[in-house]
Amino acid sequence: MDIDCSAEELGLFEVIGKSAGESGTTCYVIGGFVRDKILNRATKDIDIVCIGDGIALAHSVAKKLPGRPNVSYFKNFGTAHFRYNGIDVEFVGARKESYRQHSRKPEVTPGTLEDDQKRRDFTINALAISLNEGSYGNLIDPFEGMKDLSLKKIRTPLEPDTTFSDDPLRMMRAIRFANQLNFEIEPEIFASIKHNRERIRIVSQERITDELNKIMMCSSPSTGLDLLYRSGLLKEFFPQMVALAGVEILEGKGHKDNFYHTLQVIDNTASKSDDLWLRWAALLHDIGKPATKRFEDGHGWTFHGHEVVGERMTPKIFRQLKLPQNEKMKYVAKLVALHLRPISLTKEDITDSAMRRLLFDAGDDLEDLMLLCESDITSKNRQKVKRYLENFELVKIRLKEVEEKDKIRNWQPPVSGDDIMRIFGIGPSRAVGVLKTTIREAILDGDIPNNYDAAYNLLMEKAQEMNMTPVDNGKNNTDTGGHNTDKS
Ligand code: CTP
């Protein structure tokens, strides 16, 4: 078998073959590395399977390598690992392994190469190449993995029910590989996924989400997401997304299928950005629609407030899917909340103040928001899409003009919360929030100019209404609080 390896990889294989020869061990490079080399894709880690003691082989290989990489190993699992020249190399003894029903704990016993290949997930991942002297480079392919690679098919080495029941995550992997490699899942394999879908519940959410994110990072995630939906797997761990599917018709009026619309928005986003979280915002942008769906007589279907409901659902979904609970989640929730705003600016005669508000609310995420909104323009009517996109370009130009004039992005109002607390001699409280908001809103609306004096005067007016008395005249603060515009 001739595969295109780098000098480092070849050097490593030579040392492995030599060490294996010395200890009388038979060993092979197997799995994703072989698959990706044959497909001419970039490879990541190298998996070595040997008939015998994988840990001992790893140690004797490491000893011969320049820099003597450090070997870490798990005696119980018979696996060993080291990192060499940036490549992760994993050694494992060939084994028979099966998972008991309702449990993820495997029963493992030593086995032959074929036993090991049999217990792997797909035929294309079960290809092995010998590294021993004498048979070096020979391909061992008992399950026609090469044929499946050329036919672009996802098949399991054993009966699919057996392979999937050994590790139900493989159902997600089948879909992920089909999406990533642009392969087709054999109908009987897909039928087995449908049949075994509930078994995904024994898999940890972290592993499921890892696969889901790999699907999200494909060039066209809609393929994988649709397969997840049609197999029934999606409903098992992400029912909120499944709730988007379907069309209801009343009085001859229907609405679009929000599931397939969402998939299109994800693909549109993916064609312009490889940011996983922006893609998640695309996935969740309409997630509040099922909960807000109403039929208004004489008007048709509405989803009022779905962006607010979607924003609130985001943290819960992130928790449920074990996605990070950090600023990434806040970013996604923010884009979901704002996703209708740029489009609403295409409608009437829009004031500078509406533009300023969007610039202020979106801040640094404005470009991402605009990209999401542009991706959200989907319609079967090409003329309509063209018209929307043209209007959208005008909004972009207006936003740019207002930003250049007013510099409102990342702007801070000229009187800060700290100023307010000092002036009135109070601590953090609701009153501080009310006063801060009054000033900010007045400036964004263009009711008062964006400077300290105007903000201070308004503060005094509002405070009087609230029966608050200043303890400090506030005049010793000449700091302009980072505001940088003097617009009207
Ligand atoms: N494998 C398996 N069942 C799993 C996971 C992995 O049979 N649930 C086997 C496959 O033979 C796979 C190999 O272990 O090729 C290595 O697994 P992994 O590194 O997770 O996958 P790769 O195939 O290398 O692909 P990727 O790195 O894209 O996940």
Side-chain angles (χ1 to χ4, degrees):
M1 177 90 214
D2 227 1
I3 54 174
D4 197 9
C5 290
S6 68
E8 269 102 14
E9 289 162 351
L10 288 175
L12 184 66
F13 292 150
E14 199 180 307
V15 175
I16 296 174
K18 200 160 164 232
S19 298
E22 284 166 9
S23 60
T25 314
T26 317
C27 68
Y28 308 84
V29 55
I30 194 161
F33 181 87
V34 179
R35 176 200 70 221
D36 287 340
K37 282 288 179 200
I38 296 169
L39 290 175
N40 258 324
R41 297 175 84 232
T43 49
K44 284 170 280 172
D45 12 335
I46 297 180
D47 287 319
I48 306 292
V49 66
C50 55
I51 319 304
D53 189 342
I55 298 178
L57 181 63
H59 278 105
S60 89
V61 172
K63 237 188 260 169
K64 290 193 176 64
L65 288 173
R68 279 188 169 221
N70 200 21
V71 179
S72 51
Y73 59 96
F74 295 95
K75 238 189 160 121
N76 291 351
F77 294 103
T79 60
H81 162 269
F82 62 71
R83 208 173 153 76
Y84 174 66
N85 278 345
I87 312 170
D88 281 308
V89 193
E90 186 98 27
F91 292 77
V92 60
R95 52 203 169 158
K96 294 188 205 167
E97 181 177 307
S98 69
Y99 291 75
R100 292 187 221 103
Q101 281 272 318
H102 311 300
S103 161
R104 271 167 294 141
K105 285 218 181 74
E107 280 177 328
V108 183
T109 47
T112 63
L113 174 67
E114 189 161 336
D115 286 333
D116 193 278
Q117 287 172 301
K118 237 191 243 171
R119 68 163 193 88
R120 288 181 180 262
D121 52 3
F122 307 113
T123 59
I124 59 166
N125 287 346
L127 294 158
I129 296 179
S130 169
L131 295 180
N132 286 95
E133 213 184 315
S135 57
Y136 186 85
N138 285 359
L139 175 77
I140 296 99
D141 177 18
F143 303 107
E144 301 194 305
M146 281 300 277
K147 190 172 147 205
D148 289 338
L149 277 180
S150 65
L151 293 175
K152 296 175 155 253
K153 295 243 183 260
I154 303 288
R155 271 193 323 118
T156 50
L158 301 175
E159 281 294 304
D161 284 356
T162 309
T163 299
F164 292 141
S165 125
D166 278 355
D167 178 4
L169 183 75
R170 291 170 170 171
M171 299 187 283
M172 297 280 303
R173 283 171 63 89
I175 290 172
R176 188 257 290 187
F177 282 121
N179 199 171
Q180 246 176 5
L181 306 176
N182 206 8
F183 276 31
E184 200 188 319
I185 301 176
E186 280 280 276
E188 66 157 326
I189 309 287
F190 195 66
S192 167
I193 296 178
K194 275 183 167 168
H195 173 68
N196 287 292
R197 64 186 184 275
E198 287 182 5
R199 293 268 297 161
I200 198 72
R201 292 181 197 166
I202 68 161
V203 177
S204 75
Q205 187 56 52
E206 286 83 352
R207 293 180 80 210
I208 296 175
T209 296
D210 211 37
E211 290 299 327
L212 181 60
N213 279 340
K214 285 183 181 168
I215 290 172
M216 288 296 280
M217 287 310 289
C218 287
S219 52
S220 166
S222 65
T223 310
L225 292 166
D226 190 30
L227 288 170
L228 284 178
Y229 169 59
R230 288 195 288 113
S231 63
L233 279 172
L234 194 60
K235 194 161 179 217
E236 295 297 326
F237 63 88
F238 196 0
Q240 298 95 327
M241 190 174 177
V242 174
L244 288 167
V247 177
E248 214 175 317
I249 299 174
L250 267 183
E251 296 176 12
K253 289 195 165 99
H255 56 79
K256 57 178 146 187
D257 183 315
N258 288 308
F259 180 79
Y260 285 104
H261 162 70
T262 295
L263 294 200
Q264 200 183 331
V265 178
I266 299 172
D267 277 0
N268 291 347
T269 305
S271 71
K272 294 177 219 141
S273 164
D274 55 15
D275 185 310
L276 174 66
W277 306 108
L278 183 50
R279 293 176 181 206
W280 265 101
L283 194 158
L284 294 178
H285 79 288
D286 275 348
I287 203 76
K289 275 193 169 174
T292 53
K293 184 166 125 176
R294 303 276 177 276
F295 187 80
E296 287 177 12
D297 285 336
H299 181 63
W301 295 100
T302 65
F303 303 91
H304 291 311
H306 75 268
E307 72 283 13
V308 182
V309 172
E311 178 190 17
R312 282 198 214 120
M313 288 170 74
T314 301
K316 183 174 174 281
I317 289 171
F318 266 57
R319 254 196 316 279
Q320 168 189 325
L321 297 181
K322 297 265 178 355
L323 285 163
Q325 304 284 304
N326 58 15
E327 74 286 351
K328 298 297 180 199
M329 179 192 80
K330 289 189 192 143
Y331 160 88
V332 172
K334 175 175 166 185
L335 292 191
V336 172
L338 294 177
H339 83 270
L340 296 175
R341 292 272 295 278
I343 294 288
S344 72
L345 300 184
T346 61
K347 283 186 189 135
E348 330 105 56
D349 200 11
I350 299 296
T351 58
D352 274 10
S353 137
M355 297 282 169
R356 274 199 294 273
R357 272 178 184 285
L358 181 60
L359 288 164
F360 178 73
D361 290 340
D364 275 344
D365 300 319
L366 183 76
E367 278 77 19
D368 289 358
L369 177 66
M370 297 302 278
L371 193 150
L372 171 64
C373 287
E374 208 167 330
S375 305
D376 196 12
I377 302 173
T378 68
S379 163
K380 290 204 181 80
N381 182 338
R382 281 177 177 226
Q383 273 310 105
K384 215 165 153 182
V385 171
K386 190 166 169 273
R387 203 174 60 239
Y388 273 159
L389 287 174
E390 280 166 3
N391 285 343
F392 201 67
E393 280 310 307
L394 295 179
V395 174
K396 279 190 185 165
I397 294 169
R398 279 281 304 281
L399 280 169
K400 203 161 169 240
E401 282 168 5
V402 174
E403 170 58 13
E404 268 162 18
K405 184 157 64 77
D406 293 350
K407 301 270 184 304
I408 216 83
R409 279 168 82 169
N410 302 314
W411 159 84
Q412 290 301 323
V415 174
S416 69
D418 281 344
D419 294 335
I420 296 172
M421 290 193 274
R422 184 174 38 78
I423 293 169
F424 294 99
I426 55 173
S429 53
R430 206 184 136 257
V432 181
V434 172
L435 292 168
K436 241 173 83 175
T437 309
T438 306
I439 294 168
R440 190 191 65 216
E441 296 297 290
I443 294 173
L444 287 173
D445 279 343
D447 293 342
I448 63 166
N450 179 19
N451 63 44
Y452 185 81
D453 287 342
Y456 182 81
N457 291 339
L458 179 65
L459 177 68
M460 287 304 127
E461 248 175 62
K462 184 75 186 169
Q464 206 173 12
E465 266 174 42
M466 294 165 71
N467 291 324
M468 291 172 69
T469 321
V471 294
D472 179 308
N473 68 11
K475 295 293 180 193
N476 58 354
N477 185 351
T478 47
D479 177 9
T480 50
H483 70 290
N484 37 22
T485 162
D486 212 6
K487 63 174 178 50
S488 54

